[in-house]
Amino acid sequence: RQSNIIRLFINGTLTVTRTGVSNPQTVNRYIDIGRRESGSQARRYNGYMDDVRFFKGTALYTSNFTPPTSALGTSPNITTLRGGFEDKARNHGVTTVGTAAVNSSVKKFGTSSLFVDGNSDYAAIPDDSFSFSTGDFTVEAWVYHTGVSGSSNIFDFRKSGDGFTINMDTSGNVGYYSNKAGDYVISQGSNSIGTNSWKHLALCRHQ
């Protein structure tokens, strides 16, 4: 039985595997979407996001797969942020900061996506809204990266030495970084998502 494994997939292809991972997020915290959780290094993401899903209790993917071809569904264990984080997200207390906003010109499914410009924009979900705790989970989303101005965080689940991020380096390579004591690691290879096209990202933790 495989256990304590983090897997990162890009367009359904396994690109990063991290073994021996302890529980990466065990405290409730707000989720930053499109920036670093705190500090002077904001690490803002520049681009669009659509059909984001946080799935608690299941590692949906353990090997290569075909990315979704339509908008994702919902269930009691899923926080789904579709249509630019508006139609499904209001019940989860999502807030936008700066000029982060729904944009209808670029979208993967439906009529809109979320756009953040890499400067002062991001979205956030309150810390009492969602926690992965100690079990399996999946984070997945379609992203449309428009340019690299530095390292950036796509999703940040960190708080007080706990949690993790999905991030990009200056070349657009996507990776996983754990902030857990004893497991400080960045797993990042040559897997650039490029610019100006939709890419599917999925991070799965199998306990």
Side-chain angles (χ1 to χ4, degrees):
R1 179 180 183 271
Q2 295 178 317
S3 61
N4 295 330
I5 298 175
I6 290 283
R7 297 181 178 91
L8 175 66
F9 300 85
I10 299 178
N11 278 347
T13 300
L14 180 62
T15 61
V16 171
T17 300
R18 171 70 177 171
T19 60
V21 177
S22 57
N23 299 319
Q25 189 209 23
T26 56
V27 299
N28 288 350
R29 73 165 309 278
Y30 58 86
I31 302 168
D32 280 318
I33 302 167
R35 73 153 191 172
R36 182 180 177 176
E37 52 92 21
S38 65
S40 59
Q41 295 178 318
R43 295 183 180 176
R44 312 281 185 177
Y45 170 78
N46 185 4
Y48 303 85
M49 301 182 193
D50 203 355
D51 223 29
V52 177
R53 177 161 70 166
F54 307 142
F55 197 147
K56 180 179 179 178
T58 302
L60 291 177
Y61 314 113
T62 57
S63 60
N64 292 351
F65 63 95
T66 300
T69 57
S70 60
L72 299 167
T74 61
S75 85
N77 292 324
I78 304 173
T79 299
T80 306
L81 314 179
R82 292 196 318 211
F85 294 78
E86 289 297 319
D87 57 342
K88 297 293 182 182
R90 288 176 179 164
N91 291 335
H92 300 287
V94 174
T95 58
T96 56
V97 178
T99 57
V102 170
N103 185 292
S104 61
S105 63
V106 179
K107 63 272 189 183
K108 180 62 181 178
F109 303 119
T111 61
S112 60
S113 64
L114 174 75
F115 177 67
V116 290
D117 65 9
N119 292 319
S120 60
D121 303 352
Y122 68 96
I125 300 176
D127 59 6
D128 59 351
S129 179
F130 199 84
S131 172
F132 292 122
S133 189
T134 60
D136 295 353
F137 64 80
T138 299
V139 176
E140 64 179 319
W142 287 95
V143 298
Y144 186 105
H145 186 45
T146 55
V148 177
S149 58
S151 298
S152 60
N153 287 8
I154 303 172
F155 300 107
D156 199 321
F157 297 84
R158 294 180 295 169
K159 179 182 181 180
S160 301
D162 187 273
F164 63 94
T165 72
I166 301 173
N167 51 35
M168 285 193 307
D169 66 16
T170 56
S171 298
N173 298 309
V174 179
Y176 157 81
Y177 174 79
S178 172
N179 202 43
K180 190 81 171 181
D183 189 34
Y184 298 106
V185 61
I186 184 165
S187 298
Q188 210 157 23
S190 298
N191 53 27
S192 175
I193 61 173
T195 57
N196 301 319
S197 65
W198 286 105
K199 299 294 192 303
H200 184 265
L201 305 182
L203 182 78
C204 299
R205 193 263 178 149
H206 192 119
Q207 188 179 32

